[in-house]
Amino acid sequence: KDVRRGGDYAYNELMTQLHPGVIVLMHTVAEDNADALPKFIKDAKAQGYTFGSIDDLVLESEQILPYSK
């Protein structure tokens, strides 16, 4: 079983690792992550970060660096 450290701990870990281009992977079974998520999203958006799917990221990168065979 995962060790519970609390939502504040998870939030602080996320915020210290936040930088342009970061891909955040959070395990949905961890309650700490679920507790941290609303505040993390709000604060990251306030800093100008945006959220999207992996598909969004791939489409964006194809526009920047088109795939060629």
Side-chain angles (χ1 to χ4, degrees):
K1 183 168 163 101
D2 288 336
V3 175
R4 277 242 354 154
R5 294 184 177 150
D8 289 338
Y9 176 85
Y11 168 83
N12 290 330
E13 286 294 305
L14 287 164
M15 293 304 288
T16 60
Q17 297 175 36
L18 188 61
H19 60 83
V22 70
I23 296 175
V24 176
L25 171 65
M26 299 176 74
H27 296 274
T28 58
V29 296
E31 281 186 57
D32 294 349
N33 291 341
D35 293 344
L37 195 55
K39 184 177 178 185
F40 170 70
I41 291 171
K42 179 179 76 75
D43 292 351
K45 283 183 174 180
Q47 291 184 30
Y49 288 94
T50 58
F51 293 81
S53 68
I54 293 295
D55 288 341
D56 295 336
L57 183 62
V58 170
L59 288 173
E60 182 179 316
S61 69
E62 286 176 351
Q63 291 173 357
I64 297 168
L65 300 169
Y67 174 77
S68 62
K69 293 183 179 183

